[in-house]
Amino acid sequence: MTAVSAVMVAIVRWPLGSPHWFVFVKAFLLPCAVIACATLLTVRHVERGGAYSALLISTVAVIFLPCLAWLNGPLADVVTYPLFIGLLAAGISHTAWAMRKAPAGRWVFAVACGGLFGFGYFLVINSRAYGSVLTLELALTGIHQLDTIFHASIANMLVKYGVLSTGLDGLLSTKYHVLSHIWLGCIGLWLGVPTLEAYSIGGQIIAIPMLLFGLSLAIHLFRRPGEGPANGALITLGSLLLLFVADLWGWTSYLVSESYFLAMIMFLLALPLLAEIADSERRHRLSLQVTALGVAGLLILLSKISVGAVLAGGAGFLLWRRMGTTPLGLIKLAAPLLLLVILAIAIISPSARMLLEALEPLGFIREHPRGALPNIAANLVLLYVAFQVWRGGTPQDQRCAEAVAVMAIASVVPVLLINVPGGSGYYFVNVGTWTAIVFVCAYRGAHFEKLFPNPRMPGFVVGALLLVAFATQEKRQSAYRLGALFAEVQARARVVSGESAGAETTTRQRLIELLTPGHPARYALASDMKRTPGWQVKATLLAMGITQSHRAAVFVPPDNVPFWTIAVECRQDPLFVPAILGAPMLKGLNPPALKCPKEPHYGFADYKDASSEPLSDQQLCARAAPWKLDTVLILTAPTTGRKIRCS
């Protein structure tokens, strides 16, 4: 799946000019190394009774190893290349050894499934236009998603200046969960590509395959060897079928929200550790288990508070049960966990002050029924199955059932009580959906295998997956939407260049133009892009040395109308330079004459008196001084500008 995704993105990007094909090879190595690391440790250590803590910490360490590029790029390559290639070789060797006596059809089936899902997820992810294969062209023509450039701006300010900021007026700090921005920003440094392109590559080539692998791994390891499902094909395909069923009526924001999918990768990796803690017969040191869980939990909180809060609820209850269900023990565990979550909300959540204002019982369900109801139903299924397991299970099973029941309640209660703007309640309730898939498959998968021992059963599950996919509007229309997005970019590039939009094309023609290697239509798009104001702004600032100066800022006067009208949605214009070029603005909000509304949920409210207005060189230097920015690039027009040095 990773390989197909990398090849598809490389095919599309090749005529558009960036990035180099080796970038995709390098990106391919990271998820392969993560999967190989987890697989090798599973087979050689955990399944033989070893502690899961070592697997969790090792796998998380491999995920974040590219962050060494933040410290030193050559050092990161010296460390990552041998390790990733070694893990890949060891993983392939072990898989070949394990499958040498298997029928050839199993290999063919596995490869076919990987190719099918790689291509399918390529269509679905890129049809959403968040961190898509056409993100750069969307941004330069002004029809991109506000979320993508907002997060890319934060990532750039973090990895280039070490400041949590959107960079709209100097380096004014803000509050936000930062781990996904650091990770994807470092992925860009490690790959040698701009952060905006790292969001596209890091999402679909690296993160989503790891997310789906984490789902299968969590199911496989949630119970002792021999107690859970054993058929790897059914574990993977069955869990995907349940996920597809949940997507039939619901949202798929986990495919495009970088903070959420990174948090969920670590959440799924942490779930087997909860099951191990619940098993008091395993003589592993509780202190090591709690330490590993604490490391993973902290990283999850830094990536997505909602996921960390749900995990904290289940982990806290489980530890209380393990240590004895006394009121004093509950206070000792609940107090620090609650304090940690509250502290995280107060420090890194931009919505901390708005939580009381967001108190609106059933408001999220009324406004976003498709985001709420399918996930609430999944959590109710989780509660029912947990109750059945609790009634007839072993003490370990009962403790696991109680922990996941607490997580289901922690997932549902916030969406019943609060309505955070933008539908963010989804990132609470959907955690329970993933937990339900893991728990149901782990405890009912073995029973399903006994009922249907036919070796052709994985093939029937693939058929069911295809039926559910074609019954889901988002998946069914993904090819059409991707083609329409490509046609929109083509038309927009021509229109802003002063030409006609061009003739209308069919979906089939658009997909052929987009996916055929070296198709002339994409070369034509690359040529059209060079005449757009967005491309001209980028080229001008690059020629002025914006990437060579570490302490440079950009000022755009209010009379540079082409810049302030690049985007269809005016709120996106201020983020153009921080997201695409990685430099902060000075007085970077839209000029008052354009009457662009300030968006309170994307950091705009943090800035006072930051609208663009005529300023002298001395005033600009004074504005840059608090952040020790010593160079100001003044963009007077898309193709002209000048540079001033501030002593």
PDB file of all heavy atoms in Angstrom, residues 132-155:
ATOM      1  N   SER A 132      -3.118  17.354  -0.322  1.00  0.00           N
ATOM      2  CA  SER A 132      -3.301  16.472  -1.469  1.00  0.00           C
ATOM      3  C   SER A 132      -2.091  16.526  -2.391  1.00  0.00           C
ATOM      4  O   SER A 132      -1.158  17.307  -2.203  1.00  0.00           O
ATOM      5  CB  SER A 132      -4.554  16.863  -2.252  1.00  0.00           C
ATOM      6  OG  SER A 132      -4.302  17.973  -3.082  1.00  0.00           O
ATOM      7  N   VAL A 133      -2.142  15.693  -3.429  1.00  0.00           N
ATOM      8  CA  VAL A 133      -1.064  15.629  -4.402  1.00  0.00           C
ATOM      9  C   VAL A 133      -0.952  16.931  -5.194  1.00  0.00           C
ATOM     10  O   VAL A 133       0.080  17.211  -5.808  1.00  0.00           O
ATOM     11  CB  VAL A 133      -1.296  14.427  -5.337  1.00  0.00           C
ATOM     12  CG1 VAL A 133      -2.467  14.667  -6.265  1.00  0.00           C
ATOM     13  CG2 VAL A 133      -0.052  14.071  -6.109  1.00  0.00           C
ATOM     14  N   LEU A 134      -1.991  17.758  -5.159  1.00  0.00           N
ATOM     15  CA  LEU A 134      -1.998  19.041  -5.873  1.00  0.00           C
ATOM     16  C   LEU A 134      -1.975  20.226  -4.909  1.00  0.00           C
ATOM     17  O   LEU A 134      -2.346  21.336  -5.291  1.00  0.00           O
ATOM     18  CB  LEU A 134      -3.233  19.135  -6.775  1.00  0.00           C
ATOM     19  CG  LEU A 134      -3.309  18.127  -7.924  1.00  0.00           C
ATOM     20  CD1 LEU A 134      -4.680  18.195  -8.598  1.00  0.00           C
ATOM     21  CD2 LEU A 134      -2.215  18.389  -8.946  1.00  0.00           C
ATOM     22  N   THR A 135      -1.528  19.996  -3.668  1.00  0.00           N
ATOM     23  CA  THR A 135      -1.576  21.063  -2.667  1.00  0.00           C
ATOM     24  C   THR A 135      -0.820  22.313  -3.096  1.00  0.00           C
ATOM     25  O   THR A 135      -1.308  23.437  -2.913  1.00  0.00           O
ATOM     26  CB  THR A 135      -1.026  20.543  -1.327  1.00  0.00           C
ATOM     27  OG1 THR A 135      -1.979  19.672  -0.742  1.00  0.00           O
ATOM     28  CG2 THR A 135      -0.763  21.688  -0.355  1.00  0.00           C
ATOM     29  N   LEU A 136       0.368  22.158  -3.667  1.00  0.00           N
ATOM     30  CA  LEU A 136       1.150  23.331  -4.047  1.00  0.00           C
ATOM     31  C   LEU A 136       0.422  24.145  -5.105  1.00  0.00           C
ATOM     32  O   LEU A 136       0.353  25.381  -5.014  1.00  0.00           O
ATOM     33  CB  LEU A 136       2.522  22.898  -4.567  1.00  0.00           C
ATOM     34  CG  LEU A 136       3.462  24.036  -4.979  1.00  0.00           C
ATOM     35  CD1 LEU A 136       3.723  24.972  -3.811  1.00  0.00           C
ATOM     36  CD2 LEU A 136       4.774  23.481  -5.528  1.00  0.00           C
ATOM     37  N   GLU A 137      -0.136  23.487  -6.111  1.00  0.00           N
ATOM     38  CA  GLU A 137      -0.867  24.208  -7.171  1.00  0.00           C
ATOM     39  C   GLU A 137      -2.134  24.843  -6.615  1.00  0.00           C
ATOM     40  O   GLU A 137      -2.500  25.960  -7.003  1.00  0.00           O
ATOM     41  CB  GLU A 137      -1.219  23.237  -8.311  1.00  0.00           C
ATOM     42  CG  GLU A 137      -0.036  22.837  -9.181  1.00  0.00           C
ATOM     43  CD  GLU A 137       0.959  21.945  -8.490  1.00  0.00           C
ATOM     44  OE1 GLU A 137       0.540  21.167  -7.580  1.00  0.00           O
ATOM     45  OE2 GLU A 137       2.161  21.995  -8.823  1.00  0.00           O
ATOM     46  N   LEU A 138      -2.805  24.139  -5.702  1.00  0.00           N
ATOM     47  CA  LEU A 138      -3.997  24.715  -5.074  1.00  0.00           C
ATOM     48  C   LEU A 138      -3.636  25.981  -4.298  1.00  0.00           C
ATOM     49  O   LEU A 138      -4.367  26.984  -4.341  1.00  0.00           O
ATOM     50  CB  LEU A 138      -4.629  23.691  -4.135  1.00  0.00           C
ATOM     51  CG  LEU A 138      -5.290  22.473  -4.782  1.00  0.00           C
ATOM     52  CD1 LEU A 138      -5.591  21.415  -3.724  1.00  0.00           C
ATOM     53  CD2 LEU A 138      -6.574  22.871  -5.492  1.00  0.00           C
ATOM     54  N   ALA A 139      -2.509  25.947  -3.580  1.00  0.00           N
ATOM     55  CA  ALA A 139      -2.100  27.109  -2.789  1.00  0.00           C
ATOM     56  C   ALA A 139      -1.693  28.275  -3.681  1.00  0.00           C
ATOM     57  O   ALA A 139      -2.042  29.436  -3.410  1.00  0.00           O
ATOM     58  CB  ALA A 139      -0.949  26.722  -1.859  1.00  0.00           C
ATOM     59  N   LEU A 140      -0.969  27.998  -4.741  1.00  0.00           N
ATOM     60  CA  LEU A 140      -0.486  29.079  -5.608  1.00  0.00           C
ATOM     61  C   LEU A 140      -1.607  29.717  -6.418  1.00  0.00           C
ATOM     62  O   LEU A 140      -1.498  30.879  -6.825  1.00  0.00           O
ATOM     63  CB  LEU A 140       0.591  28.542  -6.556  1.00  0.00           C
ATOM     64  CG  LEU A 140       1.906  28.111  -5.890  1.00  0.00           C
ATOM     65  CD1 LEU A 140       2.851  27.512  -6.913  1.00  0.00           C
ATOM     66  CD2 LEU A 140       2.574  29.294  -5.192  1.00  0.00           C
ATOM     67  N   THR A 141      -2.675  28.975  -6.657  1.00  0.00           N
ATOM     68  CA  THR A 141      -3.811  29.548  -7.391  1.00  0.00           C
ATOM     69  C   THR A 141      -4.914  30.028  -6.466  1.00  0.00           C
ATOM     70  O   THR A 141      -5.914  30.571  -6.927  1.00  0.00           O
ATOM     71  CB  THR A 141      -4.392  28.521  -8.379  1.00  0.00           C
ATOM     72  OG1 THR A 141      -4.719  27.319  -7.674  1.00  0.00           O
ATOM     73  CG2 THR A 141      -3.398  28.215  -9.485  1.00  0.00           C
ATOM     74  N   GLY A 142      -4.768  29.801  -5.153  1.00  0.00           N
ATOM     75  CA  GLY A 142      -5.691  30.380  -4.192  1.00  0.00           C
ATOM     76  C   GLY A 142      -6.977  29.629  -3.981  1.00  0.00           C
ATOM     77  O   GLY A 142      -7.971  30.235  -3.550  1.00  0.00           O
ATOM     78  N   ILE A 143      -7.000  28.332  -4.240  1.00  0.00           N
ATOM     79  CA  ILE A 143      -8.227  27.563  -4.018  1.00  0.00           C
ATOM     80  C   ILE A 143      -7.966  26.410  -3.050  1.00  0.00           C
ATOM     81  O   ILE A 143      -8.656  25.396  -3.070  1.00  0.00           O
ATOM     82  CB  ILE A 143      -8.810  27.027  -5.345  1.00  0.00           C
ATOM     83  CG1 ILE A 143      -7.747  26.265  -6.148  1.00  0.00           C
ATOM     84  CG2 ILE A 143      -9.388  28.151  -6.172  1.00  0.00           C
ATOM     85  CD1 ILE A 143      -8.287  25.634  -7.419  1.00  0.00           C
ATOM     86  N   HIS A 144      -6.983  26.574  -2.186  1.00  0.00           N
ATOM     87  CA  HIS A 144      -6.587  25.542  -1.259  1.00  0.00           C
ATOM     88  C   HIS A 144      -7.445  25.586   0.003  1.00  0.00           C
ATOM     89  O   HIS A 144      -8.230  26.515   0.214  1.00  0.00           O
ATOM     90  CB  HIS A 144      -5.116  25.722  -0.884  1.00  0.00           C
ATOM     91  CG  HIS A 144      -4.770  27.156  -0.566  1.00  0.00           C
ATOM     92  ND1 HIS A 144      -4.963  28.176  -1.463  1.00  0.00           N
ATOM     93  CD2 HIS A 144      -4.263  27.745   0.544  1.00  0.00           C
ATOM     94  CE1 HIS A 144      -4.576  29.323  -0.924  1.00  0.00           C
ATOM     95  NE2 HIS A 144      -4.165  29.088   0.284  1.00  0.00           N
ATOM     96  N   GLN A 145      -7.277  24.577   0.858  1.00  0.00           N
ATOM     97  CA  GLN A 145      -7.973  24.532   2.135  1.00  0.00           C
ATOM     98  C   GLN A 145      -7.240  25.403   3.160  1.00  0.00           C
ATOM     99  O   GLN A 145      -6.017  25.358   3.260  1.00  0.00           O
ATOM    100  CB  GLN A 145      -8.040  23.089   2.643  1.00  0.00           C
ATOM    101  CG  GLN A 145      -8.923  22.179   1.809  1.00  0.00           C
ATOM    102  CD  GLN A 145     -10.399  22.447   2.034  1.00  0.00           C
ATOM    103  OE1 GLN A 145     -10.774  23.166   2.952  1.00  0.00           O
ATOM    104  NE2 GLN A 145     -11.232  21.856   1.197  1.00  0.00           N
ATOM    105  N   LEU A 146      -8.008  26.150   3.934  1.00  0.00           N
ATOM    106  CA  LEU A 146      -7.416  27.009   4.951  1.00  0.00           C
ATOM    107  C   LEU A 146      -6.666  26.186   5.998  1.00  0.00           C
ATOM    108  O   LEU A 146      -5.602  26.600   6.484  1.00  0.00           O
ATOM    109  CB  LEU A 146      -8.512  27.849   5.613  1.00  0.00           C
ATOM    110  CG  LEU A 146      -8.081  28.837   6.705  1.00  0.00           C
ATOM    111  CD1 LEU A 146      -7.041  29.814   6.193  1.00  0.00           C
ATOM    112  CD2 LEU A 146      -9.299  29.583   7.250  1.00  0.00           C
ATOM    113  N   ASP A 147      -7.194  25.005   6.341  1.00  0.00           N
ATOM    114  CA  ASP A 147      -6.552  24.176   7.363  1.00  0.00           C
ATOM    115  C   ASP A 147      -5.120  23.810   6.975  1.00  0.00           C
ATOM    116  O   ASP A 147      -4.214  23.837   7.816  1.00  0.00           O
ATOM    117  CB  ASP A 147      -7.353  22.889   7.576  1.00  0.00           C
ATOM    118  CG  ASP A 147      -8.653  23.132   8.309  1.00  0.00           C
ATOM    119  OD1 ASP A 147      -9.514  23.824   7.745  1.00  0.00           O
ATOM    120  OD2 ASP A 147      -8.807  22.625   9.434  1.00  0.00           O
ATOM    121  N   THR A 148      -4.926  23.447   5.710  1.00  0.00           N
ATOM    122  CA  THR A 148      -3.623  22.954   5.290  1.00  0.00           C
ATOM    123  C   THR A 148      -2.543  24.017   5.436  1.00  0.00           C
ATOM    124  O   THR A 148      -1.463  23.759   5.991  1.00  0.00           O
ATOM    125  CB  THR A 148      -3.683  22.462   3.838  1.00  0.00           C
ATOM    126  OG1 THR A 148      -4.700  21.462   3.724  1.00  0.00           O
ATOM    127  CG2 THR A 148      -2.355  21.865   3.408  1.00  0.00           C
ATOM    128  N   ILE A 149      -2.796  25.218   4.941  1.00  0.00           N
ATOM    129  CA  ILE A 149      -1.761  26.245   5.029  1.00  0.00           C
ATOM    130  C   ILE A 149      -1.636  26.802   6.448  1.00  0.00           C
ATOM    131  O   ILE A 149      -0.571  27.274   6.847  1.00  0.00           O
ATOM    132  CB  ILE A 149      -1.988  27.382   4.010  1.00  0.00           C
ATOM    133  CG1 ILE A 149      -3.344  28.060   4.229  1.00  0.00           C
ATOM    134  CG2 ILE A 149      -1.880  26.870   2.600  1.00  0.00           C
ATOM    135  CD1 ILE A 149      -3.480  29.351   3.464  1.00  0.00           C
ATOM    136  N   PHE A 150      -2.710  26.734   7.225  1.00  0.00           N
ATOM    137  CA  PHE A 150      -2.629  27.140   8.623  1.00  0.00           C
ATOM    138  C   PHE A 150      -1.650  26.239   9.373  1.00  0.00           C
ATOM    139  O   PHE A 150      -0.739  26.709  10.070  1.00  0.00           O
ATOM    140  CB  PHE A 150      -4.021  27.077   9.254  1.00  0.00           C
ATOM    141  CG  PHE A 150      -4.028  27.192  10.755  1.00  0.00           C
ATOM    142  CD1 PHE A 150      -3.713  28.387  11.371  1.00  0.00           C
ATOM    143  CD2 PHE A 150      -4.358  26.101  11.548  1.00  0.00           C
ATOM    144  CE1 PHE A 150      -3.710  28.500  12.766  1.00  0.00           C
ATOM    145  CE2 PHE A 150      -4.370  26.201  12.921  1.00  0.00           C
ATOM    146  CZ  PHE A 150      -4.045  27.393  13.533  1.00  0.00           C
ATOM    147  N   HIS A 151      -1.807  24.933   9.219  1.00  0.00           N
ATOM    148  CA  HIS A 151      -0.922  23.999   9.917  1.00  0.00           C
ATOM    149  C   HIS A 151       0.497  24.043   9.349  1.00  0.00           C
ATOM    150  O   HIS A 151       1.468  23.907  10.098  1.00  0.00           O
ATOM    151  CB  HIS A 151      -1.492  22.587   9.838  1.00  0.00           C
ATOM    152  CG  HIS A 151      -2.784  22.424  10.583  1.00  0.00           C
ATOM    153  ND1 HIS A 151      -2.892  22.645  11.935  1.00  0.00           N
ATOM    154  CD2 HIS A 151      -4.030  22.090  10.162  1.00  0.00           C
ATOM    155  CE1 HIS A 151      -4.130  22.437  12.328  1.00  0.00           C
ATOM    156  NE2 HIS A 151      -4.847  22.100  11.263  1.00  0.00           N
ATOM    157  N   ALA A 152       0.627  24.218   8.040  1.00  0.00           N
ATOM    158  CA  ALA A 152       1.959  24.334   7.456  1.00  0.00           C
ATOM    159  C   ALA A 152       2.685  25.571   7.975  1.00  0.00           C
ATOM    160  O   ALA A 152       3.906  25.550   8.180  1.00  0.00           O
ATOM    161  CB  ALA A 152       1.863  24.374   5.936  1.00  0.00           C
ATOM    162  N   SER A 153       1.956  26.659   8.200  1.00  0.00           N
ATOM    163  CA  SER A 153       2.560  27.874   8.758  1.00  0.00           C
ATOM    164  C   SER A 153       3.112  27.617  10.158  1.00  0.00           C
ATOM    165  O   SER A 153       4.241  28.007  10.480  1.00  0.00           O
ATOM    166  CB  SER A 153       1.524  29.004   8.807  1.00  0.00           C
ATOM    167  OG  SER A 153       1.065  29.336   7.522  1.00  0.00           O
ATOM    168  N   ILE A 154       2.325  26.946  10.997  1.00  0.00           N
ATOM    169  CA  ILE A 154       2.783  26.632  12.353  1.00  0.00           C
ATOM    170  C   ILE A 154       4.014  25.736  12.303  1.00  0.00           C
ATOM    171  O   ILE A 154       4.998  25.955  13.032  1.00  0.00           O
ATOM    172  CB  ILE A 154       1.647  25.964  13.153  1.00  0.00           C
ATOM    173  CG1 ILE A 154       0.509  26.963  13.397  1.00  0.00           C
ATOM    174  CG2 ILE A 154       2.169  25.429  14.480  1.00  0.00           C
ATOM    175  CD1 ILE A 154      -0.683  26.369  14.111  1.00  0.00           C
ATOM    176  N   ALA A 155       3.968  24.718  11.440  1.00  0.00           N
ATOM    177  CA  ALA A 155       5.109  23.805  11.333  1.00  0.00           C
ATOM    178  C   ALA A 155       6.365  24.544  10.902  1.00  0.00           C
ATOM    179  O   ALA A 155       7.457  24.296  11.433  1.00  0.00           O
ATOM    180  CB  ALA A 155       4.781  22.688  10.342  1.00  0.00           C
TER     181      ALA A 155
END
